[in-house]
Amino acid sequence: MGSSGADPHRLRLHRPIVLFDLATNRLVEAKILLPGVTTLERLIAALRERVAARQYALLAAAPSPNQSAVLETLVNVEEGRRVSRLDRLRKSPTDVSSTGLVKALDRHVELRDLGAAGWDLSAVPPGKIAALARFAHAARPGRCRTFRAVRQD
């Protein structure tokens, strides 16, 4: 892959079929018969799993321990409330009035105070961050809690 001019850092952005095609073309160019198709598929799948695990480790390490604790409390439903703080932060105020503006500004300050703007996520592809953001926006807080527990294993 090095002689074909492919940048290894850009390869992490490709879908599995593109990686498979690049590897197959490189093997054909070099007149290499092995590994076979199934072995190559397994290698690419294992590589993608390692990359995903590394990305989740980078994401998990981004917030400080205090920020992590605050983020974990977002999915809990407080006593006397019907929805979690995460649900309240996901939905912007809809009333077009001075009180709606104040609510929107309070929401902005609360989101900013989470400190996510200072996290270094440069090693995680923007597409992965966007996909996780879509998931977080659509998922119920209980599902986010389950997702976190799965990734800690």
Side-chain angles (χ1 to χ4, degrees):
M1 282 183 217
S3 66
S4 64
D7 179 8
H9 299 291
R10 287 182 42 89
L11 291 179
R12 68 181 177 177
L13 304 176
H14 291 305
R15 296 185 326 262
I17 190 67
V18 175
L19 294 175
F20 180 82
D21 288 344
L22 287 170
T24 302
N25 288 339
R26 179 70 176 133
L27 291 171
V28 169
E29 286 174 6
K31 298 183 180 178
I32 298 173
L33 297 175
L34 295 174
V37 172
T38 305
T39 304
L40 198 54
E41 287 174 348
R42 286 187 197 130
L43 286 171
I44 290 172
L47 176 66
R48 288 181 53 84
E49 285 179 21
R50 282 188 11 222
V51 168
R54 181 175 172 269
Q55 289 172 352
Y56 284 113
L58 288 169
L59 288 169
S64 70
N66 291 340
Q67 289 172 326
S68 293
V70 170
L71 291 172
E72 288 177 25
T73 64
L74 291 179
V75 296
N76 298 328
V77 178
E78 298 167 359
E79 183 120 6
R81 298 259 190 181
R82 292 189 326 205
V83 295
S84 70
R85 193 167 144 219
L86 176 64
D87 281 331
R88 289 194 309 275
L89 288 173
R90 283 196 288 200
K91 296 182 178 109
S92 59
T94 55
D95 47 336
V96 184
S97 65
S98 58
T99 56
L101 178 62
V102 170
K103 287 179 188 176
L105 289 172
D106 288 343
R107 178 176 170 258
H108 172 76
V109 168
E110 192 171 355
L111 287 168
R112 187 188 62 207
D113 288 346
L114 292 175
W119 301 344
D120 179 18
L121 302 178
S122 59
V124 182
K128 176 61 79 175
I129 293 171
L132 289 170
R134 282 190 303 273
F135 169 81
H137 183 71
R140 295 189 182 276
R143 178 72 174 116
C144 292
R145 192 178 306 115
T146 303
F147 187 69
R148 181 190 167 277
V150 168
R151 286 293 170 197
Q152 282 185 335
D153 294 341

